[in-house]
Amino acid sequence: FIHSPFLYLPIFWLTMRAVNNTTPPETWIPATYAKWKANVFEVSMASATLWLPAQILNFYFMPQHLIVPFINLVGVFWVVYLSLKEGMTKDEAPKEEETLAKAE
C-alpha cells in the first residue's frame, strides 16, 4: 500500500499519457502530478478495497496451483478499472473546457 500511490500510479498515468501522445512531452510530468493530486486518495481506496480481500482470499483459501492465476485475474480487473477511470477523465476534460469557454 506504500508503493502503489507513490510509484505505481504516477508511472501508470505517465505511461498512459506517453502512449496516447496527445500533448507535448514537456507537459507530461506536470499533468501527471496534477492527476495524481486529484485522484490518489480515491484510487488508493479502490486499491485497498480490491487488493486486500483478494490477497487474503489468495493466500488463505486458494489452492497452491491457483495462486498465480487468481492474482493475475485480479490484476487484469485492476488495470481495466484504471483504464476506465483514465477514459472517464478524458471524457470530462472537453466538458470542463466547454464550461470555461461559456463562462468567458
Side-chain angles (χ1 to χ4, degrees), residues 1 3 47-62 67-68 70-72 74-75:
F1 294 103
H3 83 282
S47 173
T49 303
L50 175 72
W51 286 106
L52 192 58
Q55 294 291 9
I56 290 170
L57 193 87
N58 194 36
F59 289 113
Y60 287 112
F61 303 110
M62 209 44 71
I67 287 176
V68 173
F70 175 75
I71 214 64
N72 285 334
V74 173

Side-chain angles (χ1 to χ4, degrees), residues 32-88:
T32 300
Y33 177 69
K35 182 175 188 65
W36 177 83
K37 256 176 96 171
N39 295 321
V40 69
F41 183 75
E42 179 185 348
V43 175
S44 293
M45 291 304 294
S47 173
T49 303
L50 175 72
W51 286 106
L52 192 58
Q55 294 291 9
I56 290 170
L57 193 87
N58 194 36
F59 289 113
Y60 287 112
F61 303 110
M62 209 44 71
Q64 193 169 15
H65 67 281
L66 294 178
I67 287 176
V68 173
F70 175 75
I71 214 64
N72 285 334
L73 181 65
V74 173
V76 166
F77 284 112
W78 178 245
V79 171
V80 167
Y81 167 78
L82 287 177
S83 297
L84 288 172
K85 185 139 184 64
E86 176 76 14
M88 284 187 248

Side-chain angles (χ1 to χ4, degrees), residues 14 17 23-38:
L14 188 62
R17 190 168 301 280
T23 59
E26 57 271 6
T27 64
W28 293 352
I29 292 177
T32 300
Y33 177 69
K35 182 175 188 65
W36 177 83
K37 256 176 96 171

